[in-house]
Coordinates of all heavy atoms in Angstrom, one line a residue:
M17 N 13.8 -102.1 -101.4 CA 13.3 -102.8 -100.2 C 11.9 -102.1 -99.8 O 11.8 -100.9 -99.8 CB 14.3 -102.7 -99.1 CG 14.0 -103.7 -98.0 SD 15.0 -103.4 -96.5 CE 16.6 -103.7 -97.1
D18 N 11.0 -103.0 -99.4 CA 9.7 -102.5 -99.0 C 9.7 -102.3 -97.5 O 10.0 -103.2 -96.7 CB 8.7 -103.5 -99.3 CG 7.7 -103.0 -100.4 OD1 7.3 -101.9 -100.2 OD2 7.5 -103.7 -101.4
C19 N 9.5 -101.1 -97.0 CA 9.5 -100.8 -95.6 C 8.2 -100.0 -95.3 O 8.2 -98.8 -95.8 CB 10.8 -100.1 -95.2 SG 10.7 -99.7 -93.4
E20 N 7.3 -100.5 -94.5 CA 6.1 -99.8 -94.2 C 6.4 -98.5 -93.5 O 5.7 -97.5 -93.7 CB 5.1 -100.6 -93.4 CG 4.3 -101.5 -94.3 CD 3.3 -102.4 -93.4 OE1 2.9 -101.9 -92.4 OE2 3.0 -103.5 -93.8
E21 N 7.3 -98.6 -92.5 CA 7.6 -97.4 -91.7 C 8.2 -96.3 -92.6 O 7.8 -95.1 -92.5 CB 8.6 -97.8 -90.6 CG 9.0 -96.7 -89.7 CD 8.0 -96.1 -88.8 OE1 6.8 -96.6 -88.9 OE2 8.2 -95.1 -88.1
K22 N 9.1 -96.7 -93.5 CA 9.6 -95.7 -94.4 C 8.5 -95.1 -95.3 O 8.5 -93.9 -95.5 CB 10.7 -96.4 -95.3 CG 11.4 -95.4 -96.3 CD 12.4 -96.2 -97.2 CE 13.0 -95.3 -98.2 NZ 13.8 -96.0 -99.1
A23 N 7.6 -95.9 -95.8 CA 6.5 -95.4 -96.6 C 5.7 -94.4 -95.8 O 5.3 -93.3 -96.4 CB 5.7 -96.5 -97.1
R24 N 5.5 -94.7 -94.6 CA 4.7 -93.8 -93.7 C 5.4 -92.5 -93.5 O 4.8 -91.4 -93.6 CB 4.4 -94.5 -92.4 CG 3.4 -93.8 -91.5 CD 3.3 -94.4 -90.1 NE 4.6 -94.3 -89.3 CZ 5.0 -93.1 -88.8 NH1 4.2 -92.0 -88.9 NH2 6.1 -93.0 -88.1
L25 N 6.7 -92.6 -93.3 CA 7.5 -91.4 -93.1 C 7.6 -90.5 -94.3 O 7.6 -89.3 -94.2 CB 8.9 -91.8 -92.6 CG 9.0 -92.3 -91.2 CD1 10.4 -93.0 -90.9 CD2 8.7 -91.3 -90.1
V26 N 7.6 -91.1 -95.5 CA 7.7 -90.4 -96.7 C 6.3 -89.6 -96.9 O 6.3 -88.5 -97.3 CB 7.9 -91.3 -97.9 CG1 7.7 -90.6 -99.3 CG2 9.4 -91.9 -97.9
V27 N 5.2 -90.3 -96.7 CA 3.9 -89.7 -96.8 C 3.8 -88.5 -95.8 O 3.3 -87.4 -96.2 CB 2.8 -90.7 -96.5 CG1 1.4 -90.0 -96.4 CG2 2.7 -91.7 -97.7
D28 N 4.3 -88.7 -94.6 CA 4.3 -87.7 -93.6 C 5.1 -86.5 -94.0 O 4.7 -85.3 -93.9 CB 4.8 -88.3 -92.3 CG 4.6 -87.3 -91.1 OD1 3.4 -86.8 -90.9 OD2 5.5 -87.0 -90.4
Y29 N 6.3 -86.8 -94.5 CA 7.2 -85.7 -95.0 C 6.6 -84.9 -96.1 O 6.6 -83.7 -96.2 CB 8.5 -86.3 -95.4 CG 9.4 -85.3 -96.1 CD1 9.8 -84.1 -95.5 CD2 9.9 -85.6 -97.4 CE1 10.7 -83.2 -96.1 CE2 10.7 -84.7 -98.0 CZ 11.1 -83.5 -97.4 OH 11.9 -82.6 -98.0
E30 N 6.0 -85.6 -97.1 CA 5.4 -85.0 -98.3 C 4.2 -84.1 -97.8 O 4.0 -83.0 -98.3 CB 5.0 -86.0 -99.3 CG 6.2 -86.6 -100.0 CD 5.8 -87.7 -101.0 OE1 4.7 -88.2 -101.0 OE2 6.7 -88.1 -101.8
A31 N 3.4 -84.6 -96.9 CA 2.2 -83.8 -96.4 C 2.7 -82.6 -95.7 O 2.1 -81.5 -96.0 CB 1.4 -84.7 -95.5
K32 N 3.7 -82.7 -94.9 CA 4.2 -81.5 -94.2 C 4.9 -80.5 -95.1 O 4.8 -79.3 -94.9 CB 5.1 -82.0 -93.0 CG 4.2 -82.5 -91.9 CD 5.0 -83.1 -90.8 CE 4.0 -83.5 -89.6 NZ 4.6 -84.4 -88.7
T33 N 5.6 -81.0 -96.1 CA 6.3 -80.1 -97.0 C 5.2 -79.4 -97.8 O 5.4 -78.2 -98.1 CB 7.2 -80.9 -97.9 OG1 8.2 -81.6 -97.1 CG2 7.9 -80.0 -98.9
A34 N 4.2 -80.1 -98.2 CA 3.1 -79.4 -99.0 C 2.4 -78.4 -98.2 O 2.1 -77.3 -98.6 CB 2.1 -80.5 -99.4
R35 N 2.2 -78.7 -96.9 CA 1.6 -77.7 -96.0 C 2.5 -76.4 -95.8 O 2.0 -75.3 -95.8 CB 1.4 -78.3 -94.6 CG 0.3 -77.6 -93.8 CD -0.2 -78.5 -92.7 NE 0.8 -78.7 -91.6 CZ 0.9 -77.8 -90.6 NH1 0.0 -76.8 -90.5 NH2 1.8 -78.0 -89.6
F36 N 3.8 -76.7 -95.7 CA 4.7 -75.6 -95.6 C 4.7 -74.7 -96.9 O 4.6 -73.5 -96.8 CB 6.2 -76.1 -95.4 CG 7.2 -75.1 -95.6 CD1 7.2 -73.9 -94.8 CD2 8.3 -75.3 -96.5 CE1 8.2 -73.0 -95.0 CE2 9.3 -74.4 -96.6 CZ 9.3 -73.2 -95.9
S37 N 4.7 -75.3 -98.1 CA 4.7 -74.5 -99.3 C 3.3 -73.8 -99.5 O 3.3 -72.6 -100.0 CB 5.1 -75.3 -100.5 OG 4.1 -76.3 -100.8
R38 N 2.2 -74.4 -99.0 CA 0.9 -73.7 -99.0 C 1.0 -72.5 -98.1 O 0.5 -71.4 -98.5 CB -0.2 -74.6 -98.6 CG -0.8 -75.4 -99.8 CD -2.2 -75.9 -99.5 NE -2.3 -76.6 -98.2 CZ -1.9 -77.9 -98.1 NH1 -1.6 -78.6 -99.1 NH2 -2.0 -78.5 -96.9
A39 N 1.6 -72.6 -97.0 CA 1.7 -71.5 -96.0 C 2.5 -70.4 -96.6 O 2.1 -69.2 -96.4 CB 2.2 -72.0 -94.7
V40 N 3.6 -70.7 -97.3 CA 4.4 -69.7 -97.9 C 3.6 -69.0 -99.0 O 3.7 -67.7 -99.0 CB 5.7 -70.3 -98.5 CG1 6.4 -69.3 -99.4 CG2 6.6 -70.9 -97.4
T41 N 2.8 -69.7 -99.8 CA 2.0 -69.1 -100.8 C 1.0 -68.1 -100.2 O 0.9 -67.0 -100.7 CB 1.3 -70.2 -101.6 OG1 2.2 -71.1 -102.1 CG2 0.5 -69.6 -102.8
V42 N 0.4 -68.5 -99.1 CA -0.6 -67.6 -98.5 C 0.1 -66.4 -98.0 O -0.4 -65.3 -98.2 CB -1.3 -68.4 -97.3 CG1 -2.2 -67.4 -96.5 CG2 -2.2 -69.5 -97.9
L43 N 1.2 -66.6 -97.3 CA 2.0 -65.5 -96.8 C 2.3 -64.5 -97.9 O 2.1 -63.3 -97.8 CB 3.2 -66.0 -96.1 CG 4.1 -64.9 -95.4 CD1 3.4 -64.2 -94.3 CD2 5.4 -65.5 -95.0
Q44 N 2.8 -65.0 -99.0 CA 3.3 -64.1 -100.1 C 2.1 -63.4 -100.7 O 2.2 -62.2 -101.1 CB 4.0 -65.0 -101.2 CG 5.4 -65.3 -100.7 CD 6.1 -66.3 -101.7 OE1 5.4 -67.0 -102.5 NE2 7.4 -66.4 -101.5
S45 N 0.9 -64.1 -100.8 CA -0.2 -63.5 -101.5 C -0.8 -62.4 -100.6 O -1.5 -61.5 -101.1 CB -1.3 -64.5 -101.8 OG -1.9 -64.9 -100.6
K46 N -0.5 -62.4 -99.3 CA -1.1 -61.4 -98.4 C -0.1 -60.4 -97.9 O -0.4 -59.5 -97.1 CB -1.7 -62.1 -97.2 CG -2.9 -63.1 -97.6 CD -3.8 -63.4 -96.4 CE -5.0 -64.1 -96.9 NZ -5.8 -64.6 -95.8
M47 N 1.1 -60.6 -98.4 CA 2.2 -59.7 -97.9 C 1.9 -58.2 -98.0 O 2.1 -57.4 -97.1 CB 3.5 -60.1 -98.6 CG 4.7 -59.8 -97.8 SD 6.1 -60.5 -98.8 CE 6.3 -62.1 -98.1
A48 N 1.4 -57.9 -99.2 CA 1.2 -56.5 -99.5 C 0.0 -55.9 -98.7 O 0.0 -54.7 -98.4 CB 1.0 -56.3 -101.0
T49 N -1.0 -56.7 -98.4 CA -2.3 -56.2 -97.9 C -2.5 -56.4 -96.4 O -3.4 -55.8 -95.8 CB -3.5 -56.8 -98.7 OG1 -3.3 -58.3 -98.6 CG2 -3.5 -56.4 -100.1
S50 N -1.7 -57.3 -95.8 CA -2.0 -57.7 -94.4 C -1.5 -56.6 -93.4 O -0.6 -55.9 -93.6 CB -1.2 -58.9 -94.1 OG -1.7 -60.0 -94.8
L51 N -2.3 -56.5 -92.4 CA -1.9 -55.8 -91.2 C -0.7 -56.5 -90.6 O -0.5 -57.7 -90.8 CB -3.0 -55.7 -90.2 CG -4.3 -55.0 -90.7 CD1 -5.4 -55.2 -89.7 CD2 -4.0 -53.5 -90.9
K52 N 0.0 -55.8 -89.8 CA 1.2 -56.3 -89.2 C 0.9 -57.6 -88.3 O 1.6 -58.6 -88.4 CB 1.9 -55.3 -88.3 CG 3.2 -55.9 -87.7 CD 4.2 -54.9 -87.3 CE 5.5 -55.5 -86.8 NZ 5.5 -56.9 -86.4
E53 N -0.2 -57.5 -87.6 CA -0.6 -58.7 -86.7 C -0.9 -59.9 -87.6 O -0.5 -61.0 -87.2 CB -1.8 -58.3 -85.8 CG -1.5 -57.2 -84.8 CD -1.8 -55.9 -85.4 OE1 -3.0 -55.6 -85.7 OE2 -0.9 -55.1 -85.7
E54 N -1.6 -59.7 -88.6 CA -2.0 -60.8 -89.5 C -0.7 -61.3 -90.2 O -0.6 -62.5 -90.3 CB -3.0 -60.2 -90.6 CG -3.3 -61.2 -91.7 CD -4.2 -62.4 -91.2 OE1 -4.5 -62.5 -90.1 OE2 -4.7 -63.1 -92.1
Y55 N 0.1 -60.5 -90.6 CA 1.4 -60.9 -91.2 C 2.2 -61.7 -90.3 O 2.7 -62.8 -90.6 CB 2.2 -59.7 -91.7 CG 3.5 -60.0 -92.4 CD1 3.5 -60.4 -93.7 CD2 4.6 -60.1 -91.7 CE1 4.7 -60.8 -94.3 CE2 5.8 -60.4 -92.2 CZ 5.9 -60.8 -93.6 OH 7.0 -61.2 -94.1
D56 N 2.3 -61.2 -89.0 CA 3.1 -61.9 -88.0 C 2.5 -63.3 -87.7 O 3.2 -64.3 -87.5 CB 3.1 -61.1 -86.7 CG 4.0 -59.9 -86.8 OD1 4.8 -59.8 -87.8 OD2 4.0 -59.1 -85.9
R57 N 1.2 -63.4 -87.7 CA 0.5 -64.7 -87.5 C 0.8 -65.7 -88.6 O 1.1 -66.8 -88.4 CB -1.0 -64.5 -87.4 CG -1.8 -65.6 -86.9 CD -3.3 -65.3 -86.9 NE -3.8 -65.2 -88.2 CZ -4.2 -66.2 -89.0 NH1 -4.0 -67.4 -88.6 NH2 -4.6 -66.0 -90.2
L58 N 0.7 -65.2 -89.8 CA 1.0 -66.0 -91.0 C 2.5 -66.4 -91.0 O 2.8 -67.6 -91.3 CB 0.7 -65.3 -92.3 CG -0.8 -65.1 -92.6 CD1 -1.0 -64.1 -93.8 CD2 -1.5 -66.4 -92.9
Q59 N 3.4 -65.5 -90.6 CA 4.8 -65.8 -90.6 C 5.1 -66.9 -89.6 O 5.9 -67.8 -89.8 CB 5.6 -64.6 -90.2 CG 7.1 -64.8 -90.2 CD 7.7 -65.1 -91.5 OE1 7.6 -64.3 -92.5 NE2 8.3 -66.2 -91.7
R60 N 4.4 -66.9 -88.4 CA 4.5 -67.9 -87.4 C 4.0 -69.3 -87.9 O 4.7 -70.3 -87.7 CB 3.7 -67.6 -86.1 CG 4.6 -67.1 -85.0 CD 3.9 -67.1 -83.6 NE 2.5 -66.7 -83.7 CZ 2.2 -65.4 -83.6 NH1 3.1 -64.4 -83.6 NH2 0.9 -65.0 -83.6
L61 N 2.9 -69.3 -88.7 CA 2.4 -70.5 -89.3 C 3.5 -71.1 -90.2 O 3.7 -72.3 -90.3 CB 1.1 -70.3 -90.0 CG -0.1 -70.1 -89.2 CD1 -1.3 -69.8 -90.1 CD2 -0.4 -71.3 -88.3
V62 N 4.1 -70.2 -91.0 CA 5.1 -70.7 -92.0 C 6.3 -71.3 -91.2 O 6.8 -72.3 -91.6 CB 5.6 -69.5 -92.9 CG1 6.8 -69.9 -93.6 CG2 4.5 -69.1 -93.9
D63 N 6.7 -70.6 -90.2 CA 7.9 -71.1 -89.4 C 7.5 -72.4 -88.8 O 8.4 -73.4 -88.8 CB 8.2 -70.1 -88.3 CG 8.9 -68.9 -88.8 OD1 9.4 -68.9 -90.0 OD2 9.0 -67.8 -88.1
E64 N 6.3 -72.6 -88.2 CA 5.9 -73.8 -87.6 C 5.9 -75.0 -88.6 O 6.4 -76.1 -88.4 CB 4.5 -73.7 -87.0 CG 4.6 -73.1 -85.6 CD 3.2 -72.7 -85.1 OE1 2.2 -73.3 -85.7 OE2 3.1 -71.9 -84.2
A65 N 5.3 -74.6 -89.8 CA 5.2 -75.6 -90.9 C 6.6 -76.0 -91.4 O 6.9 -77.2 -91.7 CB 4.4 -75.1 -92.0
R66 N 7.6 -75.1 -91.4 CA 8.9 -75.4 -91.8 C 9.6 -76.3 -90.8 O 10.2 -77.3 -91.2 CB 9.8 -74.1 -92.0 CG 11.2 -74.5 -92.5 CD 12.0 -73.3 -92.8 NE 12.0 -72.3 -91.7 CZ 11.7 -71.0 -91.9 NH1 11.5 -70.5 -93.0 NH2 11.8 -70.3 -90.8
V67 N 9.5 -76.0 -89.5 CA 10.0 -76.8 -88.5 C 9.5 -78.3 -88.6 O 10.2 -79.2 -88.5 CB 9.8 -76.2 -87.1 CG1 10.1 -77.2 -86.0 CG2 10.6 -74.9 -86.9
E68 N 8.2 -78.4 -88.8 CA 7.5 -79.7 -88.9 C 8.1 -80.4 -90.1 O 8.3 -81.7 -90.0 CB 6.0 -79.5 -89.0 CG 5.4 -79.0 -87.8 CD 4.2 -79.9 -87.4 OE1 3.5 -80.4 -88.3 OE2 3.8 -80.0 -86.2
S69 N 8.2 -79.7 -91.2 CA 8.7 -80.5 -92.4 C 10.1 -80.9 -92.3 O 10.5 -82.0 -92.7 CB 8.4 -79.7 -93.7 OG 9.5 -79.1 -94.2
E70 N 10.9 -80.0 -91.6 CA 12.3 -80.4 -91.4 C 12.4 -81.6 -90.4 O 13.2 -82.5 -90.6 CB 13.1 -79.2 -90.8 CG 13.6 -78.3 -91.9 CD 14.1 -77.0 -91.4 OE1 14.3 -76.8 -90.2 OE2 14.4 -76.1 -92.2
G71 N 11.6 -81.6 -89.4 CA 11.5 -82.7 -88.4 C 11.2 -84.0 -89.1 O 11.7 -85.1 -88.8
A72 N 10.2 -83.9 -90.0 CA 9.8 -85.1 -90.8 C 10.9 -85.6 -91.7 O 11.1 -86.8 -91.8 CB 8.5 -84.8 -91.6
R73 N 11.6 -84.7 -92.3 CA 12.7 -85.1 -93.1 C 13.8 -85.8 -92.3 O 14.4 -86.8 -92.7 CB 13.3 -83.9 -93.8 CG 14.4 -84.2 -94.8 CD 14.9 -83.0 -95.6 NE 15.4 -81.9 -94.7 CZ 16.6 -81.9 -94.1 NH1 17.5 -82.9 -94.4 NH2 16.9 -80.9 -93.4
L74 N 14.1 -85.2 -91.1 CA 15.1 -85.8 -90.3 C 14.7 -87.2 -89.8 O 15.5 -88.2 -89.7 CB 15.4 -84.9 -89.1 CG 16.2 -83.7 -89.4 CD1 16.3 -82.8 -88.1 CD2 17.6 -84.0 -89.9
A75 N 13.4 -87.4 -89.5 CA 12.9 -88.7 -89.0 C 13.0 -89.7 -90.1 O 13.4 -90.8 -89.9 CB 11.4 -88.5 -88.6
L76 N 12.7 -89.2 -91.4 CA 12.9 -90.1 -92.5 C 14.4 -90.5 -92.7 O 14.7 -91.7 -92.9 CB 12.3 -89.5 -93.8 CG 12.5 -90.2 -95.1 CD1 11.8 -91.6 -95.0 CD2 12.0 -89.4 -96.2
E77 N 15.2 -89.5 -92.7 CA 16.7 -89.8 -92.9 C 17.2 -90.7 -91.8 O 18.0 -91.7 -92.1 CB 17.5 -88.5 -92.9 CG 17.3 -87.8 -94.3 CD 18.0 -86.5 -94.3 OE1 18.6 -86.1 -93.3 OE2 18.0 -85.8 -95.3
S78 N 16.9 -90.5 -90.6 CA 17.4 -91.3 -89.5 C 16.9 -92.7 -89.5 O 17.6 -93.7 -89.3 CB 17.3 -90.6 -88.1 OG 16.0 -90.7 -87.7
H79 N 15.6 -92.8 -90.0 CA 15.1 -94.2 -90.1 C 15.8 -94.9 -91.2 O 16.2 -96.1 -91.0 CB 13.6 -94.1 -90.5 CG 13.0 -95.5 -90.8 ND1 12.7 -96.4 -89.8 CD2 12.9 -96.1 -92.0 CE1 12.3 -97.5 -90.4 NE2 12.4 -97.4 -91.7
I80 N 16.1 -94.3 -92.3 CA 16.8 -94.9 -93.4 C 18.2 -95.3 -93.0 O 18.6 -96.5 -93.3 CB 16.8 -94.0 -94.7 CG1 15.4 -93.8 -95.3 CG2 17.8 -94.5 -95.7 CD1 15.4 -92.7 -96.3
S81 N 18.9 -94.5 -92.2 CA 20.2 -94.8 -91.9 C 20.3 -96.0 -90.8 O 21.1 -96.8 -90.8 CB 21.1 -93.6 -91.5 OG 20.6 -93.2 -90.2
E82 N 19.3 -95.9 -89.9 CA 19.2 -97.0 -88.9 C 18.8 -98.3 -89.4 O 19.2 -99.4 -89.0 CB 18.3 -96.6 -87.7 CG 18.9 -95.6 -86.7 CD 17.9 -95.0 -85.8 OE1 16.8 -95.6 -85.6 OE2 18.1 -93.9 -85.3
H83 N 17.8 -98.2 -90.3 CA 17.1 -99.4 -90.8 C 17.8 -100.0 -92.0 O 17.5 -101.1 -92.4 CB 15.7 -99.1 -91.0 CG 14.7 -100.3 -91.1 ND1 13.6 -100.3 -91.9 CD2 14.8 -101.4 -90.4 CE1 13.0 -101.5 -91.7 NE2 13.7 -102.2 -90.8
G84 N 18.5 -99.1 -92.7 CA 19.2 -99.5 -94.0 C 18.2 -99.8 -95.1 O 18.4 -100.7 -95.9
C85 N 17.1 -99.1 -95.1 CA 16.0 -99.4 -96.1 C 16.0 -98.3 -97.1 O 16.8 -97.4 -97.1 CB 14.6 -99.5 -95.5 SG 14.1 -98.0 -94.6
Ligands
LIG7 ZN1 12.8 -99.0 -92.8

């Protein structure tokens, strides 16, 4: 079934998931060299990106179950 809203939510979810994995990569690459403050800042960015990507996944899932698409 073609659903524009679903397509939009998928794109949003993929973008946020990609952002999350980029943030994790940056965090891991700087883990050894970062000062504590810098590390904490990156860790916060990772956490925020994870929450956003989880929120986007939930929005997609609830749309699918409500809309049946
Ligand atoms: Zn739909």
Side-chain angles (χ1 to χ4, degrees):
M17 195 192 293
D18 250 308
C19 176
E20 274 181 31
E21 179 67 3
K22 181 183 175 183
R24 191 187 67 74
L25 289 167
V26 168
V27 168
D28 189 52
Y29 170 58
E30 286 175 349
K32 285 175 175 163
T33 302
R35 201 162 73 87
F36 169 54
S37 67
R38 274 200 305 278
V40 169
T41 304
V42 170
L43 181 68
Q44 284 171 344
S45 73
K46 297 197 171 176
M47 208 174 267
T49 54
S50 291
L51 298 170
K52 180 157 189 341
E53 297 86 72
E54 173 73 354
Y55 180 83
D56 287 348
R57 192 182 66 81
L58 290 169
Q59 181 67 62
R60 256 198 315 281
L61 286 179
V62 168
D63 287 343
E64 281 169 17
R66 181 175 52 230
V67 168
E68 290 227 334
S69 104
E70 279 169 6
R73 184 176 57 80
L74 289 175
L76 176 61
E77 283 176 359
S78 73
H79 174 81
I80 290 170
S81 73
E82 279 166 26
H83 201 213
C85 60

